Amino acid sequence: MFAEGANGAFSEFEPASGPARQRMDHQPAQEMSISALAGRSDADLGGELAFLNHTIEQNPDSAEAWAARAVFHRACRNVAGAIRDYSRALRADPSHIPSLLGRGVLLLDDGRPNDAICDFTEIIAVDPEYEDAYLCRAWAHESGSQLEAALADYGAALAIDPFLAEAHYGRGNVLREREDYALALESFDKAIECEPARAEFYNNRGIVKDILLDHAGAQADYSRSVALDPADATTYNNRGYSCSLSGDDLKAIADYDRAIERDPDCGIFYLNRANSRYRLDDYDQAIIDCDRALENDVDPAKRAGAFCGRADCWYMKDRYDLAIADYDRAIELKKDEARFYRNRADAHWLVDNDDLAIADYTRAIALSPRDIDLYIGRCALFLRRLRLFCALKDLWRIVRLA
């Protein structure tokens, strides 16, 4: 049930930082800091905007004037206005690097990686030694799942500055996506050597260690990350998940509690806590956590996992009618998950819905044709229904798989 769902809702980690957070934290060196406008009154902001407008009226062909107002718009979260002003600055000076970089970052954050790549590429044409352009273009390639191009750009940035921690870190994330875990660890190690006080570096290295079954090492990294950033909920979630993988569900629940205290609206935290409570036979509390997950998560795959998790609890409480209803909901949301059909088949079996159980085992087998347990379950049902030829066929498949 929950514990068997190694490829289900409870098998994922949520890194505390990825390319999107990097882009927000990493501002172009030439730009006025967005935080410079923080805390100003509406009157102050109005005066600042009036001054910038006047500057542009006096200098309509000045790329610097248009770029300065773009930064103001960006600070005020007026993305469209910022992009327009950066574009106007580039009409005045097509090689104005601050505008190319600023517009590229905004386009990337706006979900337009290909447009962003054009701006970063233009910067590199103007200044081939500008490491930030390679770094930003790597993020854009990564956002568009162009992993080889992202690796090439991280490599180019590191060729200019071998101690660029963000490039080592980004390279580690891409290598993890490619499942090159040993190389990913090396990259995270180098990132930490360059900047040992970055919490997300330890968090993401911990994820790789967990994948490689080094749970003790992973938990040590998560603990370092928590020490550096005790407000980050996701690292507590990841450490809790690691504890559950190593069989310590009580510790896992304590960390999920901490994650939920810091971010009570994240459905995956409740879902993971439900998993640990399920394994501790605390089905009533696990059901409550699944309910909270369903209240707070709109992602269909995670909602499907929550319905299946709640169904598993109903199953263990012998409420097979409620279990089947929740398995139905899970399957409506995610029709390609063999586990859902297998678990619903078990519930149908226990209420003597043999034909429905056989149909569900058959669907599960189509999705997972090398799972021997599915053939065993269906074979037993065929025997119970005296469908001997079908049972013999499944028995032959069982022997071949074994």
Side-chain angles (χ1 to χ4, degrees):
M1 300 303 179
F2 271 23
E4 294 169 355
N7 296 314
F10 302 107
S11 64
E12 60 186 280
F13 294 95
E14 300 219 348
S17 173
R21 177 167 168 182
Q22 290 173 338
R23 291 195 296 273
M24 294 299 293
D25 291 347
H26 186 86
Q27 303 298 337
Q30 299 87 342
E31 285 199 10
M32 175 179 69
S33 171
I34 287 178
S35 63
L37 298 178
R40 294 193 184 183
S41 67
D42 290 343
D44 289 337
L45 292 174
E48 182 76 21
L49 181 58
F51 172 77
L52 292 168
N53 290 340
H54 178 73
T55 302
I56 288 172
E57 289 172 7
Q58 298 298 312
N59 305 276
D61 295 322
S62 168
E64 294 292 341
W66 289 101
R69 194 174 73 177
V71 172
F72 176 89
H73 285 314
R74 182 177 174 180
C76 295
R77 303 294 186 257
N78 179 7
V79 174
I83 290 174
R84 279 197 303 272
D85 277 354
Y86 280 132
S87 299
R88 184 60 184 82
L90 289 166
R91 286 203 295 274
D93 180 2
S95 62
H96 190 250
I97 287 179
S99 294
L100 287 166
L101 193 60
R103 186 176 70 176
V105 169
L106 286 175
L107 290 169
L108 183 51
D109 286 336
D110 198 39
R112 297 158 63 183
N114 291 332
D115 292 335
I117 287 168
C118 293
D119 280 346
F120 301 140
T121 301
E122 185 63 29
I123 295 171
I124 292 166
V126 174
D127 183 357
E129 296 297 307
Y130 198 151
E131 64 196 43
D132 279 356
Y134 291 104
L135 193 59
C136 289
R137 193 170 70 176
W139 293 333
H141 284 308
E142 189 176 351
S143 178
S145 299
Q146 302 171 45
L147 301 186
E148 295 303 322
L151 283 176
D153 275 342
Y154 284 129
L158 289 168
I160 298 167
D161 181 359
F163 301 101
L164 188 59
E166 288 282 6
H168 286 298
Y169 173 64
R171 186 172 180 272
N173 287 327
V174 173
L175 289 166
R176 187 188 73 197
E177 282 193 62
R178 283 182 33 173
E179 301 182 1
D180 291 340
Y181 300 124
L183 291 177
L185 276 182
E186 289 181 13
S187 289
F188 289 133
D189 289 346
K190 290 174 182 174
I192 289 167
E193 286 174 16
C194 296
E195 288 190 35
R198 293 284 295 276
E200 64 268 30
F201 293 179
Y202 294 100
N203 176 76
N204 286 21
R205 187 174 71 175
I207 292 170
V208 174
K209 288 181 178 179
D210 264 327
I211 292 169
L212 295 174
L213 306 182
D214 177 12
H215 302 312
Q219 288 161 37
D221 272 348
Y222 296 135
S223 295
R224 292 188 191 100
S225 182
V226 163
L228 291 166
D229 185 4
D232 184 59
T234 312
T235 309
Y236 287 106
N237 172 71
N238 288 357
R239 188 172 68 180
Y241 192 89
S242 182
C243 289
S244 72
L245 291 175
S246 58
D248 195 337
D249 282 300
L250 288 174
K251 272 190 179 180
I253 288 170
D255 268 339
Y256 295 141
D257 290 345
R258 295 182 184 101
I260 289 167
E261 286 171 9
R262 288 158 177 79
D263 185 0
D265 298 324
C266 183
I268 193 68
F269 300 165
Y270 295 101
L271 199 53
N272 285 350
R273 190 170 67 179
N275 181 40
S276 285
R277 284 176 163 168
Y278 176 92
R279 284 204 298 269
L280 293 171
D281 301 332
D282 189 356
Y283 305 123
D284 290 332
Q285 288 301 314
I287 287 170
I288 291 171
D289 273 343
C290 288
D291 290 342
R292 294 296 303 274
L294 289 166
E295 290 169 8
N296 289 284
D297 214 321
V298 296
D299 178 80
K302 292 176 184 175
R303 287 181 63 80
F307 278 122
C308 183
R310 193 171 68 180
D312 292 341
C313 293
W314 292 126
Y315 180 99
M316 297 303 294
K317 288 168 65 69
D318 299 331
R319 293 299 309 273
Y320 304 120
D321 55 335
L322 295 176
I324 289 168
D326 272 343
Y327 290 135
D328 291 345
R329 295 183 182 102
I331 289 167
E332 285 174 13
L333 291 167
K334 198 169 188 296
K335 294 180 170 59
D336 61 349
E337 181 64 61
R339 178 170 58 101
F340 298 169
Y341 294 103
R342 178 195 63 203
N343 290 6
R344 190 172 68 176
D346 292 344
H348 280 311
W349 188 345
L350 288 170
V351 294
D352 296 326
N353 290 334
D354 290 0
D355 289 337
L356 293 176
I358 289 169
D360 274 344
Y361 277 127
T362 301
R363 293 187 189 100
I365 286 168
L367 293 166
S368 184
R370 298 196 62 78
D371 187 338
I372 193 170
D373 290 333
L374 297 176
Y375 294 101
I376 292 171
R378 191 173 66 174
C379 181
L381 280 167
F382 282 145
L383 287 171
R384 190 160 86 167
R385 300 286 293 189
L386 299 179
R387 295 171 61 179
L388 300 182
F389 179 72
C390 293
L392 284 172
K393 286 175 63 177
D394 272 350
L395 185 59
W396 175 242
R397 293 188 183 98
I398 292 164
V399 169
R400 291 182 64 185
L401 286 171

